[in-house]
Amino acid sequence: MFHSGPALEQPFDIATLLDHGLSEKPDDLALVSALTRWTWRQLDDAVTCLAGNLLMLGLKPGDRVASLMPNRAALVIHYLACFRTGLVMTPLNYRYTAPEIDHALDVSGASILLSHGERADDLAASQAVQRLPLGLIEFDELGDERHAPLAGPRFSDLISSPARDTPASASLDPSSPAAVFFTSGSTGKPKGVTHGRAGLGWMFASTAGAFEFQAEDRLLPGSSMSHMGGFAFSLAALAVGARVVIARHFDAEEILPLMRDQKPTVLCMIPTALMHLIRDSHARKEDFASLRLCRSGSDKVPAELEKEFVSLTGFPIDEGYGMTEVGLTALNPPSGRIKIGSIGTPNPGCCFCVRDDNGREVSANQEGRLWMKTPAMMTGYWNNPTATAEVLQEDWLDSGDLMYADEDGYFWFKGRKKQIIVHDGSNICPQEVEESLMEHPAVDNAGAVGVHDLVHGENVRAYVALKSGVKPIDAQTLISFSKARIGYKAPEEIYFLDSIPLNPTGKVDRVTLKRWAAADHAHALEP
């Protein structure tokens, strides 16, 4: 059974994303952070300068331009300049270590790298950085002399000095690549997800429709704009003339003052960061009063987070779903019914179906793998046709995620196929185990994985981090607490950690936890 979102008439033109705001309110604010303010006119001027100067450096359409940047207005300017020139923006996760930087640069074949000065030491340790044909572009905060200088032009010069020539964006092929994003690496080394110009235009149009963005909105994307979520939300908002409020980092010390000053109408945060925000001692109900929508996703939103959020704000979290390969594809309709715990319905232009392991469609309320079709689909993994063929089949993408659709067409996430724990022949979703533990008032975060067992196939092991200052609690008490909520799915064993490891996108790093568990198991088998 197919489930389709509303029809999309046409994509946005990524070369002219600023046109609406520029024509309607050129001197209003378009980008705001704690340190900077950019009107639509100023933003357009900076993008025009940068676009021309990038080409003056010797870059040409199709070249990959990598960035290793925290959230800054400069990153948005960089993306928009790439769109105008046909350069392929290639964002790297800002938490990448030198080997991870090497991998991404080698896979993408990037020609140049825009990087914040505080990463100078890591870049010096990177072998691939030394091989970049055009070297580095240096970004530093205004007046900041703390960081070792990078060898390359300064970003501030490239956005303030007009270039001789203006890029001819009208001649660019809509099917040509526009972006290479890297996956989180949860199932192996990160792959380069390639999106075409037209595909990104469809993605921004679909996202704007799903969020019901209007020019009067103010979006605060409380997540990294080098990841697909923060990137797509921000560019979709700008395309309709909405203001984007940029958080440099995602703790309450940064987010709460921005909310009080800018009064955003839409807030987007991943569950872990949102949990810490609402638990901050300075968070008040009135801080959230301007919001018409709080979207969370990237991993399943825990029931405890939902409960605490509603208790503080008086309205529910709007959970959604997406992947680097397709962007945001599902959301509970902001002006419709929000089913707590559901990822919602397909977004505009998106089509879903749930299939069993043999590829047959299943009926309502029956679990299977989610397949998606959207004009915002990636064109493939960069220079990796084998991996591309594993997930793309006849215009459909196999998400690998287990879902079911209810009788109203709302979808419910049941876990990632490769992370499901099989205990006595029954599938156990690690997120369900983690949620049961996080309901305990002493638990700050939790991660669950399967451990090989000769009798049961796999047993459930949970790793738990307790809140600071709480009374110590023993493992058996927590196991009983979980069992009272989820029965046989409760963990057989619990290991306590100071903090739960997170992957580069901020999700519980179950790959690392699984590796730790496997190492413990192997050690236990040694004679």
Side-chain angles (χ1 to χ4, degrees), residues 51-52 54-55 60-62 80-87 167 169 172 197:
L54 287 175
L55 297 181
K60 58 185 183 301
L80 293 168
C82 287
F83 292 164
R84 290 193 188 177
T85 56
L87 297 169
S169 57
L172 296 172
R197 296 180 64 82

Side-chain angles (χ1 to χ4, degrees), residues 30 56 63 195 341 375 493 495:
M56 291 288 292
D63 286 345
H195 285 279
E493 54 188 17
Y495 282 54

Side-chain angles (χ1 to χ4, degrees), residues 44-61:
D44 183 67
D45 288 344
V47 172
T48 300
C49 285
L50 180 60
N53 282 316
L54 287 175
L55 297 181
M56 291 288 292
L57 292 175
L59 292 161
K60 58 185 183 301

Side-chain angles (χ1 to χ4, degrees), residues 348-416:
C350 299
C351 182
F352 285 8
C353 73
V354 180
R355 303 177 184 176
D356 63 20
D357 289 340
N358 296 315
R360 294 187 295 262
E361 296 169 32
V362 302
S363 56
N365 296 305
Q366 186 175 347
E367 189 176 299
R369 287 212 311 275
L370 176 68
W371 290 71
M372 298 177 286
K373 181 163 61 174
T374 167
M377 193 95 70
M378 71 170 183
T379 58
Y381 296 116
W382 188 266
N383 288 338
N384 195 340
T386 301
T388 300
E390 291 176 355
V391 299
L392 292 184
Q393 296 182 27
E394 299 178 352
D395 297 328
W396 288 90
L397 181 139
D398 178 3
S399 72
D401 287 342
L402 299 178
M403 301 263 187
Y404 73 87
D406 65 21
E407 57 280 353
D408 297 321
Y410 281 67
F411 283 74
W412 301 79
F413 179 80
K414 300 302 292 181
R416 292 183 169 83

Side-chain angles (χ1 to χ4, degrees), residues 82 138 171 207 219 244 452 484 494:
C82 287
E138 176 187 2
S171 63
T207 302
L219 167 71
V244 175
H452 178 69
I494 289 178

Side-chain angles (χ1 to χ4, degrees), residues 207-511:
T207 302
F211 278 104
E212 302 173 8
F213 277 143
Q214 301 292 327
E216 297 75 25
D217 274 315
R218 299 183 179 192
L219 167 71
L220 200 171
S223 62
S224 172
M225 292 186 295
S226 65
H227 302 162
M228 178 55 76
F231 161 79
F233 306 157
S234 300
L235 274 296
L238 289 174
V240 302
R243 181 183 302 177
V244 175
V245 181
I246 299 174
R248 297 166 300 169
H249 41 86
F250 316 120
D251 56 19
E253 185 179 356
E254 174 82 0
I255 297 289
L256 288 177
L258 284 175
M259 294 181 68
R260 292 162 184 164
D261 177 58
Q262 288 298 309
K263 308 230 174 335
T265 59
V266 179
L267 173 67
C268 300
M269 298 187 77
I270 63 174
T272 302
L274 185 58
M275 179 74 87
H276 288 142
L277 175 67
I278 65 170
R279 285 179 171 176
D280 188 270
S281 60
H282 297 97
R284 300 289 183 267
K285 181 176 183 177
E286 52 267 28
D287 297 330
F288 300 82
S290 63
L291 295 178
R292 66 170 179 84
L293 175 66
C294 178
R295 184 268 179 191
S296 191
S298 181
D299 208 348
K300 185 171 175 58
V301 174
E304 182 63 21
L305 171 56
E306 285 277 11
K307 182 173 71 175
E308 292 185 26
F309 185 87
V310 171
S311 175
L312 175 64
T313 68
F315 62 92
I317 295 169
D318 193 329
E319 191 167 352
Y321 174 83
M323 294 176 64
T324 307
E325 289 84 347
V326 289
L328 179 74
T329 55
L331 191 70
N332 282 266
S335 60
R337 181 182 181 187
I338 293 178
K339 289 191 176 185
I340 293 179
S342 165
I343 64 167
T345 58
N347 287 346
C350 299
C351 182
F352 285 8
C353 73
V354 180
R355 303 177 184 176
D356 63 20
D357 289 340
N358 296 315
R360 294 187 295 262
E361 296 169 32
V362 302
S363 56
N365 296 305
Q366 186 175 347
E367 189 176 299
R369 287 212 311 275
L370 176 68
W371 290 71
M372 298 177 286
K373 181 163 61 174
T374 167
M377 193 95 70
M378 71 170 183
T379 58
Y381 296 116
W382 188 266
N383 288 338
N384 195 340
T386 301
T388 300
E390 291 176 355
V391 299
L392 292 184
Q393 296 182 27
E394 299 178 352
D395 297 328
W396 288 90
L397 181 139
D398 178 3
S399 72
D401 287 342
L402 299 178
M403 301 263 187
Y404 73 87
D406 65 21
E407 57 280 353
D408 297 321
Y410 281 67
F411 283 74
W412 301 79
F413 179 80
K414 300 302 292 181
R416 292 183 169 83
K417 183 73 172 178
K418 294 182 179 179
Q419 295 181 349
I420 290 295
I421 303 164
V422 183
H423 178 82
D424 288 339
S426 297
N427 289 344
I428 298 175
C429 174
Q431 288 93 341
E432 190 174 2
V433 179
E434 293 157 6
E435 282 191 34
S436 72
L437 293 167
M438 289 178 65
E439 288 185 37
H440 194 284
V443 174
D444 181 60
N445 204 356
V449 296
V451 180
H452 178 69
D453 183 81
L454 290 175
V455 176
H456 302 290
E458 286 184 299
N459 284 332
V460 181
R461 173 184 291 186
Y463 292 86
V464 169
L466 299 178
K467 296 175 184 175
S468 60
V470 302
K471 182 179 179 181
I473 186 171
D474 63 89
Q476 191 54 53
T477 299
L478 271 182
I479 291 171
S480 299
F481 182 86
S482 174
K483 189 170 293 185
R485 284 152 181 79
I486 58 173
Y488 74 92
K489 301 176 184 179
E492 281 82 19
E493 54 188 17
I494 289 178
Y495 282 54
F496 290 98
L497 302 174
D498 291 335
S499 62
I500 299 298
L502 304 177
N503 70 16
T505 56
K507 305 174 187 176
V508 172
D509 188 354
R510 299 187 190 92
V511 174

